[in-house]
Structure formats: structure tokens, C-alpha cells
């Protein structure tokens, strides 16, 4: 390990130099005997959700224009509020289980997920097309690494640990894969603690700016990359939103702007911590499961998968990106795209 790194390179950044010891800093063993993060829906709650779907259909609402008033919830709205509190201010994640999506049409499943999302916050665009509801499935690409404009969710490859650019990411499983596709999460706060022990100077570099490949979603006149740190300390709150580390390396290739040796070492140390099995919690998502993650404190990944041959059985997840009103403080100048991926201008 080279040691010629100085925090002087990050003097303009406020850096958290103390160990974070709260419920967002967890390891796998914390949940060996604790499954309170799995919230099983009751039959009454499932009925309430079905009634909300029917209400939206009667009023001819589509997933794209749904509002909270179009998807009326009572008791379940309180449960969602409690879940959101845990996601925002406690462990950072929750899994809702029990919705029989096999009994729903795909449109009804989309209404359901978007309707739930209206109780979490403001849905924002996930790509340059302005899609508020994403579809996570194999689009025929084996991998995203080494590809210029392919995003990880379009492939069947394993994904490195990463975050999305908004407060909360939600995934709803319509169909699991034949094999694999397991969801893995790690506390980015625990990773920060480990890096603080290993090399505070290298950790300091992760508060500096890196170039991230836009993967073909830049608008006219925009550069091929955006600029962001991995960690930020704002109003006494630590956040981590690194996106995909591979996008840093592809931006380096596209721009010809090299990373410094110290930056590479810092990124390697960061990735090494995410790969430690004792820090990882795994989830095998079942049909109907809804996973909610706080992007500021949770890194998520997915193992590679093998799909069914039949089109109607292939792995398919719905994805929401949501910003939470009055949520966990995040430096508005540190992380770009907080209001979603900017939509490209459509030609007439």
C-alpha cells in the first residue's frame, strides 16, 4: 500500500473523522437473529391495496400520472410511514412481503408500485427518456463493463455495489430468475468506519470529486461525464452516493483524464470493504416483494442470474426512484442528478 496521500487534497471538503455508531452502521451478524426488517402484509392490508388499484382504474389513472389522491390508503399508509422512517433514519432498508402479484396484470402491478411510491415521496426520472417507473430485466446484454452506453440493470451480469442518485430506491419483484439474481446490501456507513481504521488519508480522497460516465444519457452540449464525490458530510450527517465505480473507469477511458495512483488506491480500498462477506446482507427476492433502500447509507448489488426460456417467466423487477420531502439531509451541491436524470429534449 502506497502512503503518499494527504488530506490536503480535500481541504475544501468537510470530512467526518469520527466513528459513526448508530443503527445505519450495521454488519451481517446484527441480523442473524433479527428479521424485523421483513414486513409481512396482512390480508386486510392486501385488500386495501387491491381496493386502491380498483379506485385508480375506475378513475382511468395510469402509472405515469398517479397521485396520492388517486390511490387512497388508510391503515397501510401508516405502515408505509413507519417503514419510511426506518429507511430514512434507522437501518436504511426494509422489505415488504406478501403481495400476490401473480394475480395482478402487469398494469395493475405498475399502479400498485407507483401508488405506494406516492406515499414515500416524489418520483423522479430514471433515464434520459424521463421514465418514472423503471423495468429491471435482461435486455440481451451479457455485461455492462467495457460497454459504452449500457447500464447495469439492462444486463444479467452481477452488479458491483453501488447507489442510485436519489433518496430512496424501491424494487418490486414481479418474477425472480430461474437461478441467481440475489440482492445484496452493505452499509456504506460501516464501510466508512472500516476505511477510517485502515487509512484515513485514502478515505479523505473519497470526499473529492470523481468523473462518472453518463453512459450516453448526456443532453446536447453536456460533457460525457458528471462530477461527484463518493462521501459527503453535511449538517452533521454522513452520506455516500458513489453510483457504479465502473462508471468512473469508463469516464477515464472516454475523457483521457487519468485518475491519480492515490485515487485508484482509495477506490480499491472502498470496493474491498464492500466485498467482505461479514458486511453483506443477502435477500432472495420473491414475487411480490418490495425492497426499499436509502441510497445515502446503503450500497446494493445483485448476483448474476440465469433466466427462464419462456418470455412470461423471465426475471422482471419494477424500480422507483423517490426523493423524500424533509428527509435525511443531503448536500445539494455534492451529488448531481438528485432530481433525477435530466430528460433529453425530444425532437418534434
Amino acid at each position: 500500500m502506497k502512503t503518499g496521500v494527504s488530506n490536503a487534497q480535500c481541504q475544501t471538503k468537510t470530512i467526518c473523522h469520527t466513528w459513526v455508531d448508530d443503527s445505519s452502521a450495521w454488519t451481517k451478524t446484527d441480523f442473524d437473529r433479527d428479521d424485523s426488517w421483513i414486513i409481512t402484509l396482512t390480508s386486510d392490508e392486501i385488500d386495501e391495496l387491491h381496493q386502491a388499484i380498483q379506485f385508480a382504474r375506475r378513475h382511468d389513472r395510469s402509472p405515469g400520472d398517479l397521485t396520492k389522491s388517486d390511490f387512497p390508503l388508510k391503515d397501510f399508509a401508516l405502515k408505509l410511514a413507519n417503514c419510511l422512517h426506518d429507511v430514512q433514519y434507522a437501518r436504511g432498508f426494509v422489505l415488504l412481503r406478501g403481495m400476490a402479484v401473480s394475480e395482478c396484470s402487469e398494469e395493475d402491478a405498475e399502479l400498485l408500485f407507483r401508488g405506494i411510491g406516492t406515499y414515500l415521496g416524489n418520483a423522479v426520472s430514471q433515464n434520459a427518456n424521463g421514465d418514472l417507473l423503471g423495468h429491471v430485466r435482461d435486455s440481451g446484454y451479457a455485461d455492462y463493463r467495457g460497454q459504452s452506453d449500457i447500464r447495469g440493470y439492462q444486463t444479467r451480469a452481477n452488479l458491483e455495489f453501488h447507489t442510485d442518485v436519489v433518496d430512496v430506491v424501491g424494487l418490486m419483484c414481479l418474477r425472480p430468475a430461474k437461478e441467481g439474481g440475489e440482492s445484496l446490501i452493505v452499509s456504506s456507513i460501516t464501510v466508512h468506519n472500516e476505511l477510517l481504521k485502515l487509512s484515513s488519508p485514502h478515505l479523505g480522497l473519497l470526499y473529492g470529486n470523481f468523473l462518472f460516465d453518463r453512459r450516453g444519457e448526456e443532453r446536447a452540449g453536456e460533457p460525457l461525464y458528471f462530477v461527484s464525490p463518493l462521501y459527503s458530510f453535511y449538517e452533521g450527517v454522513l452520506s455516500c452516493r458513489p453510483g457504479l465505480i465502473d462508471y468512473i473507469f469508463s469516464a477515464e477511458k472516454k475523457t483521457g483524464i487519468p485518475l491519480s495512483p492515490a485515487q485508484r488506491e482509495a477506490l480499491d480500498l472502498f470496493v474491498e470493504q464492500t466485498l467482505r462477506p461479514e458486511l453483506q446482507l443477502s435477500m432472495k427476492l420473491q414475487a411480490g416483494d418490495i425492497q426499499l433502500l436509502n441510497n445515502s447509507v446503503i450500497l446494493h448489488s445483485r448476483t448474476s442470474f440465469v433466466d427462464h426460456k419462456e418470455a412470461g417467466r423471465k426475471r422482471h423487477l419494477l424500480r422507483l426512484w423517490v426523493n423524500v420531502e424533509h428527509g435525511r439531509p443531503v448536500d445539494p451541491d455534492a451529488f448531481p442528478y438528485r432530481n433525477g436524470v435530466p430528460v433529453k429534449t425530444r425532437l418534434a
Side-chain angles (χ1 to χ4, degrees):
M1 171 67 66
K2 299 177 182 178
T3 57
V5 185
S6 170
N7 274 335
Q9 299 177 56
C10 300
Q11 284 180 349
T12 60
K13 304 287 184 178
T14 301
I15 299 174
C16 177
H17 289 289
T18 59
W19 187 275
V20 178
D21 186 17
D22 61 33
S23 54
S24 69
W26 51 263
T27 67
K28 178 182 179 296
T29 56
D30 290 320
F31 301 104
D32 284 347
R33 294 178 178 83
D34 177 9
D35 62 358
S36 61
W37 52 274
I38 302 176
I39 311 297
T40 301
L41 277 62
T42 67
S43 58
D44 288 343
E45 290 167 342
I46 293 171
D47 287 344
E48 187 176 351
L49 287 166
H50 278 298
Q51 290 169 16
I53 293 171
Q54 295 306 313
F55 182 94
R57 290 184 58 139
R58 285 197 305 272
H59 290 80
D60 199 26
R61 295 294 187 262
S62 69
D65 59 17
L66 208 63
T67 66
K68 188 183 294 187
S69 61
D70 300 322
F71 200 83
L73 297 174
K74 294 181 180 179
D75 293 341
F76 192 65
L78 297 176
K79 176 167 282 188
L80 285 176
N82 291 332
C83 290
L84 185 60
H85 182 273
D86 285 346
V87 169
Q88 281 286 285
Y89 302 111
R91 70 177 79 88
F93 65 94
V94 70
L95 185 73
L96 296 167
R97 172 162 287 169
M99 192 68 188
V101 292
S102 60
E103 300 173 4
C104 300
S105 66
E106 185 170 315
E107 183 181 28
D108 281 354
E110 292 178 353
L111 283 171
L112 167 68
F113 198 30
R114 278 283 286 120
I116 287 174
T118 63
Y119 288 82
L120 302 176
N122 178 44
V124 300
S125 62
Q126 301 181 30
N127 53 39
N129 293 325
D131 293 334
L132 299 181
L133 191 65
H135 293 266
V136 180
R137 53 191 169 192
D138 177 17
S139 298
Y141 305 107
D143 205 344
Y144 62 94
R145 301 169 186 85
Q147 305 294 321
S148 60
D149 297 331
I150 304 302
R151 291 173 62 180
Y153 70 86
Q154 299 171 310
T155 76
R156 57 184 177 274
N158 69 296
L159 301 183
E160 66 185 33
F161 281 95
H162 66 283
T163 65
D164 296 317
V165 295
V166 295
D167 293 340
V168 173
V169 56
L171 289 173
M172 178 176 178
C173 181
L174 301 184
R175 293 185 297 271
K178 180 180 179 181
E179 299 175 14
E182 187 173 351
S183 176
L184 303 173
I185 63 172
V186 165
S187 165
S188 57
I189 309 303
T190 297
V191 170
H192 189 279
N193 286 342
E194 295 300 309
L195 291 173
L196 190 62
K197 287 193 303 184
L198 289 169
S199 176
S200 179
H202 283 90
L203 174 59
L205 290 179
L206 299 181
Y207 284 80
N209 285 329
F210 291 84
L211 307 186
F212 287 82
D213 190 351
R214 293 184 194 265
R215 292 282 164 144
E217 296 197 327
E218 62 275 2
R219 294 180 294 182
E222 287 184 328
L224 302 175
Y225 59 85
F226 64 88
V227 180
S228 176
L230 272 68
Y231 280 103
S232 172
F233 193 57
Y234 177 71
E235 294 186 357
V237 177
L238 179 63
S239 297
C240 177
R241 294 193 180 179
L244 280 158
I245 302 300
D246 186 71
Y247 290 6
I248 296 176
F249 298 124
S250 61
E252 181 184 34
K253 291 179 182 178
K254 280 186 177 181
T255 64
I257 301 173
L259 294 162
S260 70
Q263 285 177 312
R264 289 184 180 278
E265 292 168 5
L267 290 174
D268 286 345
L269 271 177
F270 176 84
V271 172
E272 286 171 9
Q273 306 319 301
T274 69
L275 297 178
R276 291 168 55 183
E278 68 271 23
L279 302 188
Q280 300 174 0
L281 181 66
S282 63
M283 305 181 192
K284 190 170 181 61
L285 299 184
Q286 305 172 10
D289 281 356
I290 296 175
Q291 180 194 69
L292 302 175
L293 306 177
N294 182 339
N295 280 306
S296 291
V297 301
I298 298 293
L299 298 154
H300 60 279
S301 173
R302 182 201 70 205
T303 64
S304 61
F305 63 89
V306 177
D307 236 334
H308 295 276
K309 293 182 179 179
E310 302 87 350
R313 299 181 64 196
K314 290 184 180 296
R315 186 181 189 269
H316 187 184
L317 279 68
L318 300 179
R319 184 177 67 179
L320 275 175
W321 281 1
V322 176
N323 279 334
V324 180
E325 187 176 5
H326 308 304
R328 181 186 176 93
V330 177
D331 185 352
D333 297 323
F335 302 116
Y337 286 176
R338 187 167 182 270
N339 293 317
V341 178
V343 179
K344 287 186 177 180
T345 302
R346 293 179 173 85
L347 298 178

